[in-house]
Structures are given as C-alpha cells and as structure tokens.
Amino acid sequence: MNLRDPLAIARGLGSAKDGTQHWWVQRLTAVALLLLTPWFVWQVLGLIGADQYAVRETLGQPLNATLLLAYVLSMFWHAQLGMQVVIEDYVHGWFEIALQVTVKFAFAFGALASALAIGRIVFSA
Amino acid sequence: MAAQQRPLSPHLQVYKPQLTSILSIVHRGTGVLLGLAAFGLMAWLLSTAGSIEAFDRFHAFVGSAPGQVLLAAVTASMVYHLLNGIRHLLWDIGWGFELSEAYASGWVVVGLTVVITSALVFVAMNAGGAA
C-alpha cells in the first residue's frame, strides 16, 4: 500500500514521467540557436569563395571555434528533441522504436563528428 | 491490450486549412529538413578539417544546380523556423495568444521570411563570385 499523497507523485511529472525536462531543454537550445544562427550566417557569408586554408584560419580562431562548437551541439541536441516528438506523433508500432533509436544514434554521431572536425580545425590551424 | 483503430483529430479531410494550422505544420516540416541539414553542416566541417580533395568535393556539390537549390531551401527553412520559433517562445511566455494576434504574428513571420531569405540569397550570390 502506497501512503504517499498522489499529488506528491504527480507534481512536476507528466505522463512521460520526466516532467518538463524535454520541453525546457528544447526551449533552452532554441534560444541558443536564436543567438548563434545570425553569427553563423554572418561567418558563412564572409567565407563564400574562400579556400580551405582561409576557412580553417577563420574557424580555428578560439572565439569562433567555441561559438561554432556551441552552435553545432545546440543544433544537434535541439534537432534530436524535435525529431523525437515528430516520430512520437506520426510513427507507431515496432518501427517507432527502431526509428527513435536510429535517430538518437545518428544525431549523436553527427554531433560527435562535428565536434571532432572542429577540434581538428583548431589544432591544425 | 488491443489498441482500437480510432480516427484521430484533426480530421484533415474535413478541416479547413487556416494560416495558423499551416504555419504550425510548416514549422515541423522545416524542423525535420533542418535536422537533416545539420548533417550537411557536419559534412562541411569534416571536409574543412579533411583533405583538400574532400573540401573541393563538398564545394563542387554545393556549387552544383541541385546543391544550390538545396542550399536555398535550407536557408528559407532556417529563416522561417527561426522567426516562427521566436513566435513560439513569445507564446511560451504568454504573449500574443489572442486569435487576432496569432494571425498578425503569423503574417509578420511569412513576410519577414520572404524578405530575409531573398536578402541572404542575394548577398550570397554576389559574394566571392560563387553561385
């Protein structure tokens, strides 16, 4: 017999049992992307037509590399959260689980590969 | 537990399309496209960090006709998703929930998307001799 007040169990938790964590992180990464996207677009416009050396030189600067890493990680995290919700809404049955796992792995791979590439650009620039 | 196959709302075949519902589904659609485009960003970073051949291959694709169309589509999606995302964040803090406000902010998003996307494409086409 559970003597805990039902409200104590329910408070802060929706049916998914993880409360507002998913919602909150999606908004947090959204704000990060909102701030970083104009910076990124500005950088890319400045790099149009540049050769590989010049691109590495620019992206390898400490501040640029830091912001770029923040941008890429926020992007993959935000995208992964969004894809999860879209799949939850439109895909059902065993394929839903398979797709959720595949998407999580793919986006984790994308974030890791991007971070590795930025690291290589920084340390070889 | 055998799940009954009940019809789900909204019943799209009898539901009149509205600006608000269209912008909502477009936010999702552009979100999915941008999620996939994140792997394009990954490819750009890997090619920049990698060999000169990889770098040239990436830019040959981006410079090709399909690459340019894709890049323009991703740019438009990025601008729309970002602007409509601001609209969502404002709703989250409780601003603009009246129906008239939701329509007004919707049209602002549509208008700004066209203007900013056009400006970005114009600047990109005239920069560095690419495109």
Side-chain angles (χ1 to χ4, degrees):
Chain A
M1 191 172 153
N2 190 351
L3 293 174
R4 286 187 72 196
D5 183 72
L7 187 61
I9 302 167
R11 186 170 284 144
L13 301 176
S15 59
K17 304 288 176 268
D18 63 352
T20 54
Q21 179 71 7
H22 186 286
W23 186 93
W24 174 246
V25 177
Q26 188 146 38
R27 267 63 186 179
L28 200 63
T29 48
V31 173
L33 289 167
L34 179 58
L35 296 170
L36 290 165
T37 300
W39 167 83
F40 177 76
V41 169
W42 181 257
Q43 289 293 326
V44 168
L45 286 177
L47 287 172
I48 291 176
D51 62 13
Q52 192 184 28
Y53 179 81
V55 177
R56 279 192 199 177
E57 189 84 336
T58 302
L59 299 184
Q61 285 165 24
L63 182 62
N64 284 347
T66 307
L67 291 175
L68 189 59
L69 188 59
Y71 184 58
V72 164
L73 294 180
S74 306
M75 181 185 290
F76 275 102
W77 200 273
H78 185 84
Q80 170 266 123
L81 291 170
M83 294 297 247
Q84 181 193 327
V85 174
V86 171
I87 294 168
E88 282 170 355
D89 284 355
Y90 305 128
V91 186
H92 305 293
W94 68 268
F95 187 60
E96 176 178 5
I97 308 292
L99 198 56
Q100 291 287 20
V101 173
T102 307
V103 163
K104 295 288 173 191
F105 283 171
F107 280 72
F109 175 87
L112 291 172
S114 302
L116 197 77
I118 294 169
R120 194 165 183 218
I121 291 167
V122 170
F123 294 114
S124 67
Chain B
M1 190 178 77
Q4 232 180 324
Q5 293 293 313
R6 296 180 192 279
L8 299 169
S9 71
H11 310 288
L12 290 179
Q13 60 274 51
V14 295
Y15 208 84
K16 185 177 168 220
Q18 300 154 110
L19 179 72
T20 42
S21 60
I22 289 170
L23 295 187
S24 172
I25 194 64
V26 170
H27 193 72
R28 285 204 152 187
T30 52
V32 170
L33 179 66
L34 290 168
L36 300 176
F39 290 90
L41 173 59
M42 175 197 77
W44 178 58
L45 292 172
L46 286 173
S47 78
T48 301
S51 66
I52 201 129
E53 289 80 15
F55 186 81
D56 289 342
R57 254 201 317 277
F58 182 86
H59 285 82
F61 172 71
V62 172
S64 69
Q68 292 280 289
V69 170
L70 199 58
L71 194 58
V74 169
T75 303
S77 299
M78 177 190 74
V79 173
Y80 172 79
H81 197 87
L82 189 140
L83 293 172
N84 201 51
I86 295 173
R87 191 161 162 253
H88 270 280
L89 289 171
L90 290 174
W91 284 334
D92 289 341
I93 58 172
W95 186 89
F97 261 131
E98 291 301 322
L99 195 55
S100 60
E101 294 169 334
Y103 269 87
S105 61
W107 283 117
V108 169
V109 164
V110 171
L112 282 178
T113 299
V114 172
V115 171
I116 296 175
T117 304
S118 308
L120 285 176
V121 169
F122 178 80
V123 170
M125 300 265 271
N126 289 284

